[in-house]
Amino acid sequence: MIPDMTELPVPLARDWDFPRSAHGVRHLLGYARTRGLDPAALLVGTGLGLDDLTTGGVREVTAAQELRVVRALRHRLPDAGAAVGATYDAGSFGALGYALLTSRTVGDAVAVALRFIDLSFAFVIPRAEVEDDHVVALLDGAALPADVRGFLVARDATAVRTVLDALVPGGVGATLSLDPERAVLRFAVAELSRPLAGGDQRRRALAEAVCRDLAADRRSATGLPQEVRVLITQRLGEGAPMPVVAAALGRTERTLRRQLTAAGTSYRALLDEVRRSLAASLLRAGLPVADVAVRLGYAESAALVHAHRRWTGRTPGASRGAVPTVHVPDDETTPQGREAHRLRP
């Protein structure tokens, strides 16, 4: 809620370097296809393949991986930033998009977008304020690499205006001024009070709860340890060997070990953490223990049994189908659980 329509939340994300849903890269590859480009060519150097980005593939990518795809697309289509931005809609953003569409008013939608901007694909973090009778959003790209700055400012600012205008019939009358460094979007403050046709308090609460869970996971750690977690998850099926992850980060194994120690952790601890979290999710979903072991990169089920006893004091079989302890039910046998599962990107 926006008190008196005069205050807007400050985004919790302060910069662009945070883990992202893999849907952001999928969207860029989809746009590339419409322009006759080879999507595989955009993935060169990312450590990702087309198979990784199919349904059931990786769920998260690092900012560096997505930025490399952006850079490859911009190299081939240098003036396409705004055109790419115009292809987004609320449905592009999973749970965040659903929270937007089920908001009571435009103001509620703007507020939830700002609070959970790190669940979008944005590299340019908007700052919005009410100035007299207008909402003014500044998207400053100064912190971005110079070679992709103009492309991303145009893309992200156009996406914001496109999604915002689609919330209500006729749009909100937003004007957008663009330059290579930054963009300014403005519209009448009275538009914040306009109701959305799909406003639904229950559904909005559910979507926002999913957003909170997702954001909490991504905000739980920052910097190098978080990048390592994402890369371990991507390579877990092959055991996530440390030399492979180190190479993906442009580091030697020795350097990565030293930097993780300085950050108060270790590669083994992060690998164990990722495996434990994913094991809980997969076992809760009812997957056979042998299948979970393969997904976690174990050579045999016995290794998973041993690790699971160390983590929980129980066998993996005792955890299969257990009731999850999360803010939103994951049980797909209930309407709420099915909807929450569908919202998760």
Side-chain angles (χ1 to χ4, degrees):
M1 185 66 68
I2 304 173
D4 302 320
M5 295 298 173
T6 59
E7 298 179 12
L8 293 167
V10 175
L12 291 178
R14 299 300 185 183
D15 60 38
W16 53 268
D17 195 8
F18 49 79
R20 297 148 183 281
S21 166
H23 288 307
V25 170
R26 293 188 189 104
H27 193 100
L28 294 173
L29 299 185
Y31 179 82
R33 287 189 185 93
T34 69
R35 296 296 302 271
L37 300 178
D38 176 11
L42 272 62
L43 295 176
V44 172
T46 65
L48 299 168
L50 290 178
D51 288 346
D52 293 321
L53 295 163
T54 58
T55 302
V58 301
R59 297 183 62 180
E60 283 190 335
V61 298
T62 66
Q65 287 175 314
E66 186 167 344
L67 192 61
R68 188 177 285 271
V69 176
V70 169
R71 186 169 277 122
L73 182 59
R74 183 238 168 232
H75 177 73
R76 291 160 175 80
L77 300 171
D79 300 319
V84 176
T87 64
Y88 294 96
D89 56 31
S92 305
F93 306 113
L96 175 58
Y98 197 72
L100 295 176
L101 294 173
T102 55
S103 293
R104 184 178 60 87
T105 65
V106 170
D108 290 336
V110 170
V112 78
L114 289 171
R115 285 202 303 275
F116 297 111
I117 193 66
D118 47 343
L119 298 184
S120 75
F121 312 143
F123 276 85
V124 188
I125 307 301
R127 304 287 192 274
E129 296 181 350
V130 174
E131 298 181 2
D132 298 325
D133 57 352
H134 280 82
V135 175
V136 180
L138 171 65
L139 292 90
D140 189 342
L144 290 168
D147 62 323
V148 292
R149 186 177 301 147
F151 186 95
L152 285 170
V153 167
R155 185 199 71 163
D156 291 358
T158 303
V160 169
R161 182 175 65 174
T162 300
V163 173
L164 184 62
D165 275 343
L167 292 176
V168 288
V172 299
T175 61
L176 179 62
S177 60
L178 275 172
D179 68 41
E181 295 285 331
R182 66 180 209 162
V184 178
L185 182 144
R186 92 177 40 234
F187 61 93
V189 71
E191 297 290 331
L192 293 175
S193 301
R194 291 183 63 183
L196 271 61
D200 183 305
Q201 185 175 356
R202 184 191 68 81
R203 291 174 183 269
R204 161 60 186 266
L206 175 63
E208 193 162 353
V210 175
C211 287
R212 282 197 300 271
D213 283 347
L214 291 170
D217 287 345
R218 294 185 188 176
R219 297 168 185 168
S220 60
T222 58
L224 181 61
Q226 187 68 306
E227 284 191 275
V228 171
R229 284 186 183 90
V230 173
L231 293 171
I232 284 174
T233 303
Q234 291 176 3
R235 293 160 172 79
L236 208 50
E238 60 195 67
M242 187 175 181
V244 173
V245 172
L249 291 165
R251 293 166 167 83
T252 65
E253 188 175 352
R254 181 178 179 180
T255 297
L256 179 58
R257 183 178 292 108
R258 175 173 51 80
Q259 291 177 339
L260 288 176
T261 299
T265 188
S266 69
Y267 190 82
R268 181 179 295 275
L270 294 175
L271 176 59
D272 213 40
E273 181 183 315
V274 170
R275 279 175 161 162
R276 177 173 181 170
S277 176
L278 188 56
S281 176
L282 296 175
L283 291 168
R284 189 171 64 226
L287 265 68
V289 172
D291 291 352
V292 174
V294 170
R295 291 280 294 274
L296 299 185
Y298 289 116
E300 54 186 23
S301 298
L304 171 59
V305 173
H306 177 76
H308 199 273
R309 283 189 181 278
R310 176 166 51 84
W311 297 330
T312 68
R314 300 185 300 170
T315 66
S319 297
R320 289 186 69 231
V323 177
T325 54
V326 295
H327 296 298
V328 183
D330 272 342
D331 180 3
E332 293 185 65
T333 64
T334 67
Q336 297 89 349
R338 287 194 297 271
E339 193 159 288
H341 181 80
R342 183 176 64 80
L343 291 175
R344 294 178 186 273

